[in-house]
């Protein structure tokens, strides 16, 4: 899978993809992430990419021309399945969307800044708008990093133990059960005996019960869905 991220702050997107699972995914050739500095392709002087909004009001708006040029340069090279705009008024990102996007081949992600991007780019280029939560970030970069991480780890072969993503919270519509490691007795706090019994069926049953209990307590809405 190839992901091209259009941004005015490519520096913000270096570290999130340079470590751990995202690093390994790229080393294995399963994921390619490229960042494109919008200022490199703007036709305006001094790297200008934003301007005052028509109708007045505080805050700058990202101009359509630099974004259109950046998107079209990429689209000339290959077909893209999605052009995603990160925005707090987009559809709420969830595991189902991550699963869906992990099966795409080429994706463009646009990171907004300031008051947002000119509406005509949203109308004519963007195929999907995503929010990572009901709060406003300074820009779309951190949101894009969240989305790429969530998608990247789902690409087959990225996780060492292929099954482990299957047991993530949300993957089956439930929160994950509690987990424990050594020692079995830590300061007198014992690991549940069911996990130590050695019977895979009993362990599975216990984990499923715990998932249901945790989901009912913390996210009852998930059970209704
Ligand atoms: N850009 C700013 N805030 C955002 C959010 N909550 N989700 C996605 N992109 C954003």
């Amino acid at each position: 899978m190839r992901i091209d991220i259009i941004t005015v702050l490519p520096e913000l997107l270096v570290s999130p993809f340079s470590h751990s699972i995202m690093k390994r995914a790229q080393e294995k050739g399963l994921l390619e992430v490229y960042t494109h500095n919008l200022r490199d392709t703007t036709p305006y002087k001094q790297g200008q990419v934003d301007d005052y909004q028509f109708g007045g009001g505080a805050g700058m708006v990202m101009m359509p021309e630099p974004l259109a040029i950046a998107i079209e340069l990429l689209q000339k090279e290959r077909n893209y399945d999605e052009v995603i705009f990160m925005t707090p008024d987009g559809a709420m990102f969830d595991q189902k969307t991550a699963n869906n996007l992990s099966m795409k081949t080429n994706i463009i992600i646009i990171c907004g800044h300031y008051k947002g991007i000119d509406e005509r780019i949203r109308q004519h280029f963007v195929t999907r708008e995503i929010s990572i939560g009901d709060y406003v970030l300074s820009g779309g970069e951190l949101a894009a990093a969240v989305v790429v991480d969530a998608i990247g780890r789902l690409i087959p072969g990225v996780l060492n133990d292929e099954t482990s993503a299957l047991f993530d919270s949300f993957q089956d519509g439930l929160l994950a059960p509690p987990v424990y490691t050594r020692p079995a007795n830590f300061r007198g706090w014992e690991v549940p005996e069911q996990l130590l019994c050695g019977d895979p069926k009993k362990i599975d049953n216990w984990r499923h019960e715990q998932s249901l209990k945790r989901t009912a307590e913390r996210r009852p809405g998930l059970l209704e869905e």
Side-chain angles (χ1 to χ4, degrees), residues 37-56:
N37 191 335
L38 195 58
R39 295 188 199 283
D40 291 343
T41 48
T42 182
Y44 301 108
K45 283 193 301 247
Q46 288 157 349
Q48 185 187 2
V49 293
D50 59 330
D51 210 337
Y52 296 100
Q53 48 179 316
F54 281 122

Side-chain angles (χ1 to χ4, degrees), residues 4 36 103 110 112 117 137 142 155 171 186 208 212 217-218:
D4 290 273
H36 306 276
M103 288 183 282
I110 303 168
I117 66 174
L137 301 165
L142 297 180
I155 299 170
Q171 204 56 264
F186 171 62
H208 187 62
L212 286 169
E217 282 165 6
R218 300 180 183 203

Side-chain angles (χ1 to χ4, degrees), residues 85-93 110-114 129-144 147:
F85 173 45
M86 302 309 307
T87 174
D89 61 5
M92 197 65 77
F93 188 58
I110 303 168
C111 303
H113 262 265
Y114 323 112
E129 301 187 328
I130 294 180
S131 165
I132 62 159
D134 284 342
Y135 41 81
V136 179
L137 301 165
S138 318
E141 285 76 12
L142 297 180
V147 167

Side-chain angles (χ1 to χ4, degrees), residues 55-163:
M60 308 290 270
V61 174
M62 288 170 74
M63 302 161 92
E65 186 77 21
L67 284 166
I69 291 172
I71 296 166
E72 283 172 339
L73 274 173
L74 291 168
Q75 286 177 332
K76 235 193 288 172
E77 297 297 319
R78 64 197 66 78
N79 286 324
Y80 283 89
D81 305 297
E82 298 272 0
V83 178
I84 298 170
F85 173 45
M86 302 309 307
T87 174
D89 61 5
M92 197 65 77
F93 188 58
D94 59 13
Q95 195 64 32
K96 194 166 153 230
T97 310
N99 286 335
N100 176 290
L101 291 175
S102 74
M103 288 183 282
K104 310 281 183 187
T105 308
N106 298 311
I107 292 176
I108 293 175
I109 301 181
I110 303 168
C111 303
H113 262 265
Y114 323 112
K115 270 279 159 206
I117 66 174
D118 190 285
E119 187 67 19
R120 290 163 291 186
I121 294 294
R122 298 173 74 158
Q123 286 168 347
H124 298 287
F125 288 95
V126 169
T127 59
R128 195 191 273 255
E129 301 187 328
I130 294 180
S131 165
I132 62 159
D134 284 342
Y135 41 81
V136 179
L137 301 165
S138 318
E141 285 76 12
L142 297 180
V146 166
V147 167
V148 172
D149 188 295
I151 297 172
R153 61 196 296 286
L154 294 172
I155 299 170
V158 166
L159 293 182
N160 281 341
D161 178 356
E162 268 253 35
T163 57

